[in-house]
Amino acid sequence: MTTLLHIDSSPLYEQSVSRQLTATFVTHWKSSHPGGTVVERDLSATAIAPLSAEWVAAVFTPEDARSPQQNELLSLSDSLIAELENADEYVVGVPMHNFGAPSVLKLWIDQITRVGKTFSYADGTPKGLLVGKKATFIIATGGVYDAQTQMASFNFVEPYLRSLFGFLGVTDATFLTAGGTMALNHGQDRNAFLAPHLEVVQTHALAV
């Protein structure tokens, strides 16, 4: 049975373009994966604390030597990593915030990027441990940051996520971007704006 991990990170909920597109992806993924399982993770509704010195110390303490307090500190990280390990595919909704990933997504990344869990240096070189996974990142940006545009160099979302997840072993990654969402704040019809992006997402969801 195939499992899809559906992650959203926008704080806008019903107004969110990325959430609407990931929901469409999930709907069509389900139709092409009868019997498949979808696991939902809403990062805007998940309390994730920034990394602390105590958290780092717990990570680098051997598992059999950790105190109950250290195990508690790592419990959320362990759960989030288990979601990634148990899923075959990921779909991640990512709104661009200040040219980068939203803070809740970065907090999640800090929890799931752990030596010995999602990557290793066992042979002296980095090796990703999340192998055999497929990921679709659905990005919504206020401006247009496509390659060859004037603002392309300001897009730190796709390069960062591609590098980070590649480092963790997820090299089968697709990036779908709905650029120019700011137009929705200036009278652009939402349905007309979303139509071509929904079509792309639907086609991709049925193909993966």
Side-chain angles (χ1 to χ4, degrees):
M1 182 182 295
T2 305
T3 299
L4 173 70
L5 176 60
H6 171 202
I7 299 171
D8 276 320
S9 59
S10 172
L12 298 182
Y13 286 92
E14 70 276 359
Q15 297 178 354
S16 167
V17 169
S18 65
R19 283 180 183 268
Q20 186 169 346
L21 293 175
T22 59
T24 296
F25 179 99
V26 170
T27 297
H28 287 79
W29 184 91
K30 286 180 178 178
S31 71
S32 62
H33 295 78
T37 300
V38 178
V39 175
E40 305 282 352
R41 172 59 67 178
D42 184 348
L43 297 182
S44 288
T46 303
I48 306 178
L51 300 190
S52 64
E54 293 78 12
W55 188 95
V56 174
V59 166
F60 287 98
T61 299
E63 290 190 28
D64 58 1
R66 287 175 188 153
S67 68
Q69 292 80 11
Q70 287 180 317
N71 286 327
E72 178 62 25
L73 277 174
L74 297 179
S75 61
L76 176 59
S77 173
D78 290 338
S79 296
L80 297 175
I81 289 172
E83 290 177 350
L84 290 165
E85 292 174 334
N86 294 332
D88 304 288
E89 302 179 30
Y90 316 138
V91 61
V92 187
V94 187
M96 176 187 280
H97 288 178
N98 301 315
F99 310 124
S103 57
V104 292
L105 185 62
K106 183 58 168 64
L107 289 171
W108 174 79
I109 286 171
D110 287 344
Q111 292 287 325
I112 60 95
T113 306
R114 274 176 59 185
V115 65
K117 291 288 188 177
T118 52
F119 73 95
S120 75
Y121 283 105
D123 59 357
T125 57
K127 178 182 179 181
L129 301 179
L130 294 176
V131 296
K133 314 291 187 180
K134 292 182 180 180
T136 299
F137 296 91
I138 299 179
I139 303 169
T141 64
V144 177
Y145 301 89
D146 297 341
Q148 312 307 319
T149 65
Q150 184 178 2
M151 298 293 287
S153 64
F154 287 80
N155 180 4
F156 296 98
V157 177
E158 180 176 340
Y160 171 64
L161 293 176
R162 189 182 294 279
S163 297
L164 186 282
F165 278 85
F167 177 80
L168 299 181
V170 185
T171 56
D172 187 352
T174 300
F175 290 80
L176 306 176
T177 300
T181 63
M182 185 62 68
L184 298 176
N185 297 331
H186 299 282
Q188 170 73 46
D189 179 77
R190 186 180 180 94
N191 291 333
F193 174 84
L194 285 172
H197 302 296
L198 288 169
E199 183 177 355
V200 169
V201 168
Q202 292 167 8
T203 300
H204 179 64
L206 292 171
V208 294

